[in-house]
Amino acid sequence: PLWTADKPVSPFKLTPRHFEHIMSLGQPWEHQHGRISLDNSNSHESNLLEYEAFDVLSPRGPLDEGKVLLIVDMRVAENRKDHYTDNFKSSSLIVRRNKEFTISIKLDRAFSAEQDDVQLEFLIGSSPNDNKGTYITVSIGKGKHNRHWKGRVVEIQGNEVTVGITPNASCIIGRFRTFVAIVTDFGRQRTQRNQDTDFYVLFNPWDPADQVYMDKEEDRQEYVMNDVGIIYNGEYNNISSRSWNFGQFEEGVLDACLMVMDAGKVPLLFRGNATEVVRQGSALLNAQDDKGVMVGNWSGDYSSGTAPTAWTGSPEILLKYASEGCEPVSFVQCWVFAGVMNTFTRCLGIPARVITNFFSAHDNTGNVKTDIVLDKDGKIDRSRTKDSVWNYHCWNEVYMKRPDLPENFSGWQVVDCTPQETSDGLYRCGPTSVNAIKEGELSYPFDAKFVFAEVKSISMFLLLPYTAYVGKLILTKKKDSSRYEDITSNYKYPEGSLKEREAMQMAERRGVSSRDYLPLAEAGVTIELQADTIKMGENLKLTLNIKNQTSQTCIISAIITGCVAYYTGVTMSPTQCDYNIFTAESLTIDVKALEYMPYLVEQSNLLFVVYGQVEESETSLSTMRVVNLHPPELTIKVNMTGSPMVGKELMVSVEFLNPYNFILQKVNLRIDGPGLILTKLKYYSQILPGASVKYKVLLIPRFLGKKVLMACLDCPLLRQVTNQLEFEVVKDENRNDLKE
């Protein structure tokens, strides 16, 4: 026989008759107990077959008439509370690694640990295998022999036995199927397939043995449990922000995150390693080369999809991807990539946060210099400029041990799914240690040199070096606050310090090009551009301040160039003014709205560059300033007296007035808020000049505590008009079944 009572003989030889019969059934051939396939690796043993056990749907061997399984209870509510997963909007059991959960099994008679052999089987994937950790058997009773997970009898009450199961600290994360089998002298009886007994295993940042362990509860609450965040943008002198719905606990999001890995064919063996999960995720969340989740687009034409500035959160994107057969979602840019990556990692249990790097270099040439070449008129020479400096760029940090690196390089790791450059053949970046970046240790995996260039490369304007320009300011949301935290010092030492020079020397030893520029002659004159904070459509006053630190009168010849720019540094429609400046200490330039309004693009910025020369010493001067134009106001109001309560209807209104003298067409208004409302979309064909719109929506808060409601108005002529409203949801004193 090919099978014994319990398992097949594997590998095994077949007679020609057996071989012809099995091959006629197709390759591989599936039996109710497993799958066998021909091993062609040795031509002398072409009849040698490989066997893989998989999901057994029917009993194996004769039924034991003396014992029948009646009920398997996954004890969902109490287990989820113990495992910090009760926020997930799901009816399934969700647990974390290396923490015990309990299952109750009701039999037709009392359980005896000395006489009975009960086996719990947990399977994941299409071809579960004991050797690969995808077929887990936990035995209780007389046949106890557990290999992967721990099991114990917690309690016996009559015919019901409660079993404690502990997945190991490195087990695969994902959705497992559950079977319970009774083994007797007559054979084995197994429960039928039942989706109600399926459960999910996630990473466990509460457990010191887990790779993603964080030791402070306030950190876990912010970087794992917080389902709404703030993403910073704008310009380092004029920081803007927008709220983002991470929504990792929303219905269907966990399944969508697992589907991302399934669609990307991430091997199950990788899914127990947080380093591999985030590296694979950084490739799979962009669709640049592998039909991933999101399509990046910086062209300004979004007519075949949704504008990147219109999204308010991750759930809408992930659920759209999952419901439409894993078709990439159009369109997104860096902060959306980072927002969705944050959801993906937090949902799976990996601590994560969104980072914004102001003046972020994109080093296309790999020399860790950002070469921005100006022509003789002071304009950026696009034909000779291969690199770019983005006003800001968003990526993620994830927190984990790095067993593949020295111990001091564990902790926060950079991971970036915005497709910029390839890594091991795919568009992805990281994880790379933040500490390693700071110390210049760039030989460790993954992509350390590219991240180093983003925060520490030399910005070269016409071969004038600006070492303090790139990575000017690096921010993330502060824990339990709506304010930002400056984490620049996590990435780099103070400019000009001994530690900074030592880190750069280390980077050079690790393959970074040395700073082989000639030292600049001291000009004795410094220049600085200052500008007002203005809304789009307002006039701008630009001031050039000049400080002469010499004892002589100096003559400066300067060119001031102004243009509209994308946040990626790409410029549009430059204008130029030539000035010969003598002993004046400042120069004021008035920029009229009518000069820049016809050329505005999304996330509109005005870029001003000054390039000049001190005639007496023939030394060069240059400086630049980005002016971020603020959009008009979007108002959110709660129409009620008193505090919002759980389970009680709440009316909210969103209002907008068109302040411009042109018609806004194809306007989309989104309202979003985790624990409050699923994403709602309102479309207006047009909003006339001076006209206003008001949209009312009814929502019912589901949980106690601080909640954030966010809104975004977006159209081709006006992007990223956002606002958010924070409020506290309190308990209805007539109810006592509520939780935070």
Side-chain angles (χ1 to χ4, degrees), residues 494-511:
E495 193 72 26
S497 67
L498 175 61
K499 283 286 191 179
E500 189 265 345
R501 290 195 296 273
E502 291 174 347
M504 191 63 205
Q505 289 167 359
M506 176 63 72
E508 291 172 1
R509 289 197 293 271
R510 296 293 183 258

Side-chain angles (χ1 to χ4, degrees), residues 646 703-707 727-730 739-740:
V646 172
F703 301 114
L704 297 172
K706 186 177 73 174
K707 301 299 170 189
F727 53 85
E728 195 79 17
V729 177
V730 300
K739 65 178 181 179
E740 292 189 3

Side-chain angles (χ1 to χ4, degrees), residues 35-49:
R35 170 184 296 167
I36 58 177
S37 56
L38 180 62
D39 180 3
N40 289 317
S41 61
N42 189 329
S43 60
H44 298 292
E45 294 186 341
S46 59
N47 291 355
L48 186 65
L49 301 189

Side-chain angles (χ1 to χ4, degrees), residues 6 111-120 137-147 149 151 153 181-185 188:
D6 281 346
F111 171 79
S112 170
E114 292 75 25
Q115 299 178 10
D116 295 323
D117 184 1
V118 177
Q119 295 184 357
L120 290 86
T137 302
V138 177
S139 299
I140 58 173
K142 67 176 185 179
K144 186 173 182 179
H145 52 278
N146 302 327
R147 178 180 173 189
W149 296 3
V153 175
I182 305 293
V183 181
T184 70
D185 294 338
R188 175 191 301 258

Side-chain angles (χ1 to χ4, degrees), residues 34 169 177 235 237 247 354 384 439 466 478 507 562 566 568 572 576 579 589 604 616 670 691:
R177 306 182 293 282
E235 191 261 333
N237 275 322
V354 176
R384 298 167 60 198
E439 300 298 336
Y466 284 82
K478 184 178 286 189
Y566 290 90
T568 58
M572 303 272 292
Q576 177 181 317
Y579 289 92
I589 303 168
S604 294
E616 286 76 10
R670 274 179 172 78

Side-chain angles (χ1 to χ4, degrees), residues 511-522:
V512 170
S513 301
S514 61
R515 296 184 171 184
D516 52 358
Y517 56 84
L518 294 174
L520 290 179
E522 289 291 334

